[in-house]
Amino acid sequence: MKKLLILPVLLFGVFSCAQNTPTSFSEQALSDNMKSTDGTKVTFKQILEKHKGKTIVIDIWASWCPDCIKGMPKVHDLQKQFSDVTYLFLSYDRTEEAWLKGIEKYNVQGDNYLIGSKWKGGAFSESVKLDWIPRYMVVDKKGNIALFRAIEADDEKLISILKQLK
């Protein structure tokens, strides 16, 4: 009898969690302004359109974040393993100067942008339910979110999804 009661509860939990995972970005997130390393202001939507048709790993980070810095070697390993993937680094650094220094200091190789809105209460962070950095996401070649959340660059789900999307 107990087994019969556990099964519906388990199924409800699995399906309710699956439905809460977005497969696309909100209009607010897509409209959020960001800055490229050359100082050009672009929207997140424009950044995604630039890489349309490619698998994208998004790394949300900041140069002041100890866990982000500690995780960079794993990101570099991921880049070696999946060199055909586009790497998009979105930073919550407090200043442009700190962000640019961080890119150089930690050898952040990829497409780099400084997020224009605040972490707490900003359009992008609210859309992706940001509660921790580093945060990794994967966008497939059709522009859908294939992986909504990972906090380690060597996360098994992240690796598995990248293998599937090859």
Side-chain angles (χ1 to χ4, degrees), residues 14 36 41 55 58-59 87 93 98 105 136-137 146 158 164:
V14 167
S36 67
K41 288 189 179 186
T55 299
I58 299 173
D59 180 344
Y87 292 86
D93 267 291
K105 182 175 181 179
Y136 305 95
M137 301 178 76
L158 175 64
Q164 289 173 19

Side-chain angles (χ1 to χ4, degrees), residues 10-136:
L10 184 63
L11 288 173
F12 176 77
V14 167
F15 286 110
S16 65
C17 288
Q19 291 173 347
N20 290 335
T21 304
T23 57
S24 62
F25 294 99
S26 71
E27 283 303 316
Q28 293 90 342
L30 293 170
S31 300
D32 209 351
N33 286 311
M34 302 190 181
K35 187 182 282 191
S36 67
T37 53
D38 68 3
T40 306
K41 288 189 179 186
V42 293
T43 63
F44 183 55
K45 182 177 184 174
Q46 291 171 311
I47 295 167
L48 291 176
E49 286 174 353
K50 175 181 172 185
H51 301 291
K52 191 174 184 176
K54 299 175 185 172
T55 299
I56 305 167
V57 171
I58 299 173
D59 180 344
I60 305 167
W61 77 294
S63 67
W64 50 260
C65 165
D67 289 337
C68 300
I69 305 317
K70 190 169 68 175
M72 274 300 165
K74 292 179 184 180
V75 173
H76 296 149
D77 290 344
L78 188 70
Q79 289 176 311
K80 288 175 190 167
Q81 187 177 358
F82 298 97
S83 59
D84 56 332
V85 171
T86 296
Y87 292 86
L88 181 58
F89 294 89
L90 306 179
S91 174
Y92 272 107
D93 267 291
R94 294 178 181 109
T95 67
E96 188 174 341
E97 181 182 2
W99 167 58
L100 293 171
K101 282 182 181 179
I103 292 169
E104 186 176 334
K105 182 175 181 179
Y106 302 111
N107 194 27
V108 182
Q109 298 294 315
D111 216 3
N112 285 276
Y113 295 91
L114 182 62
I115 300 172
S117 62
K118 295 178 182 177
W119 177 347
K120 303 290 184 188
F124 183 79
S125 65
E126 292 292 317
S127 172
V128 300
K129 300 176 182 156
L130 190 63
D131 61 352
W132 190 263
I133 57 174
R135 165 75 175 278
Y136 305 95

